[in-house]
Amino acid sequence: MSLVTVIIPVFNGASSIHLPIASVAAQTWRDIEVIVVDDGSTDDTATVTASLLAALPFPTRLIRHAANRKLSATRNTGLEAARGAWIQFLDCDDYIAPTKIAAQMAVAEQAPAQVAAVYSPFQRFHMDGARFVQDDAVSFPDIEAAHPLAFVARETFVHMSATLTRRAVLQEVGGFRQSAVPWEDDEIKIRMALAGYTFRKAPTPEAGFFWQLYPGQTRWGGPEARYRIVDVAFNFLACVRLALGGVSPAAAGLPDPVRRALDRELTFYLRALHGFSRAEGARFIAALMEYYPGFLPAYPARLRSLPKLLGVRRFEDMVARLRTLRRRVRLA
């Protein structure tokens, strides 16, 4: 059996760290080591984690950062300490099914060297008190033969924790980049794909990974949100540039379905940013049009001729005004 290293980054996760650790303890694959990296927590995360790790039947290690260094640096710390040939990343409030690692290792151990990662279905959930509530249907991504842009498309998104990834490949491409937040999971997959590596699906009918969401949390927005919408939009565009080697989508020879999907994603993030800040939205439109001349918002389809007449910025100003008016009418 090949050793699998489970890396759990945590920051002030004393109340949730039991979830991932308990799910690792229940794995049917037993050749495991567990590394928890405490990213400068100010609560009793370290004490709680040490107690939980002591009860595991696997080799364990708790590494502590003196100050908070953010998720990418914390994962990279775990990666540097890992001994396993395959890596399972698992955040401090998520969990994996008991057969997740075994099902993926059945594929991984037979996979050729160019396979960087094995992935499985996953599902979102939230907590209602002590009750686990599944938020939607199980996601069954298919990226085996996908274009690198698929990693940043919502329709083909694969959570990093839904994969097992070769340690050697992660190290070869240089680990995670904090500058790509919140796309760091997807940006590293793009770099692996550009380096010639592929991704293989494990033939499992059920979710192997469960991703916790927080219904009351503002995910994108200003300083109070989990992620700044400015970073979301501009770093999405940076990932597109990376995936296409800096070539404009108009000149990249993309298959029509891939380009249509890209146009939908660009429209989505453009609208999200423009609705939050007209000034930042205008800055994004300028950067987008410089990189992708001829871009037209993908929807509403019946109005696609208007951006040609008005220009994308004026058209998006009009869309923003219409949305504001619609919200006021609903509230009246």
Side-chain angles (χ1 to χ4, degrees), residues 72 76 79 169-177 187-188 191:
S72 291
N76 288 339
L79 187 59
V169 176
L170 289 163
Q171 292 173 328
E172 178 185 329
V173 300
F176 294 89
R177 293 175 177 169
E187 192 265 357
I188 196 171
R191 283 187 279 129

Side-chain angles (χ1 to χ4, degrees), residues 2-318:
S2 297
L3 179 66
V4 173
T5 300
V6 180
I7 297 174
I8 305 175
V10 59
F11 174 68
N12 288 350
S15 64
S16 65
I17 190 66
H18 64 283
L19 277 175
I21 291 178
S23 73
V24 173
Q27 291 301 297
T28 58
W29 186 270
R30 306 307 287 175
D31 198 1
I32 289 174
E33 69 169 358
V34 182
I35 298 175
V36 177
V37 185
D38 180 357
D39 190 26
S41 294
T42 56
D43 64 359
D44 57 349
T45 289
T47 302
V48 172
T49 300
S51 176
L52 293 168
L53 292 180
L56 290 181
F58 314 120
T60 65
R61 185 173 177 187
L62 173 60
I63 302 173
R64 301 183 68 182
H65 285 170
N68 184 259
R69 294 169 56 189
K70 305 300 182 184
L71 180 60
S72 291
T74 305
R75 283 178 170 170
N76 288 339
T77 294
L79 187 59
E80 290 170 4
R83 296 182 300 117
W86 293 85
I87 305 295
Q88 167 70 63
F89 292 104
L90 189 57
D91 288 348
C92 69
D93 52 358
D94 299 330
Y95 68 98
I96 51 178
T99 59
K100 194 267 190 189
I101 292 178
Q104 292 182 331
M105 284 303 296
V107 176
E109 292 207 301
Q110 304 300 318
Q114 73 264 27
V115 173
V118 177
Y119 64 95
S120 298
F122 63 95
Q123 189 170 28
R124 298 166 179 85
F125 77 98
H126 71 270
M127 299 299 297
D128 182 5
R131 188 168 63 96
F132 291 76
V133 180
Q134 308 303 335
D135 282 345
D136 52 17
V138 176
S139 295
F140 290 89
D142 185 2
I143 56 169
E144 284 195 323
H147 191 280
L149 284 172
F151 296 120
V152 289
R154 286 166 294 154
E155 296 174 0
T156 47
F157 168 73
V158 179
H159 197 289
M160 196 74 193
S161 295
T163 72
L164 277 182
T165 308
R166 286 190 197 270
R167 174 167 60 93
V169 176
L170 289 163
Q171 292 173 328
E172 178 185 329
V173 300
F176 294 89
R177 293 175 177 169
Q178 187 63 34
S179 60
V181 68
W183 302 99
E184 56 265 59
D185 290 6
D186 314 289
E187 192 265 357
I188 196 171
K189 295 190 197 87
I190 291 172
R191 283 187 279 129
M192 288 190 283
L194 293 176
Y197 293 102
T198 60
F199 300 78
R200 184 157 295 182
K201 179 167 52 179
T204 52
E206 299 175 344
F209 164 65
F210 297 88
W211 175 22
Q212 184 167 182
L213 301 181
Y214 297 86
Q217 181 186 66
T218 301
R219 192 162 179 83
W220 300 340
E224 79 291 346
R226 181 168 184 176
Y227 301 116
R228 295 174 65 243
I229 185 58
V230 174
D231 293 335
V232 173
F234 277 94
N235 285 342
F236 176 81
L237 188 58
C239 283
V240 172
R241 287 178 180 269
L242 175 65
L244 297 180
V247 177
S248 168
L254 296 175
D256 286 344
V258 173
R259 184 164 173 179
R260 286 195 296 269
L262 174 60
D263 287 350
R264 288 194 298 271
E265 297 295 310
L266 287 168
T267 302
F268 178 83
Y269 293 111
L270 185 162
R271 295 259 166 90
L273 178 56
H274 197 258
F276 176 77
S277 166
R278 296 283 183 89
E280 292 292 355
R283 189 165 69 89
F284 181 81
I285 290 169
L288 174 60
M289 299 308 294
E290 180 182 2
Y291 168 56
Y292 185 1
F295 166 79
L296 294 174
Y299 52 87
R302 64 183 181 277
L303 299 180
R304 282 208 87 190
S305 61
L306 281 182
K308 294 180 182 179
L309 298 172
L310 300 175
V312 173
R313 179 174 175 178
R314 289 180 61 195
F315 175 74
E316 289 302 321
D317 285 342
M318 182 190 75

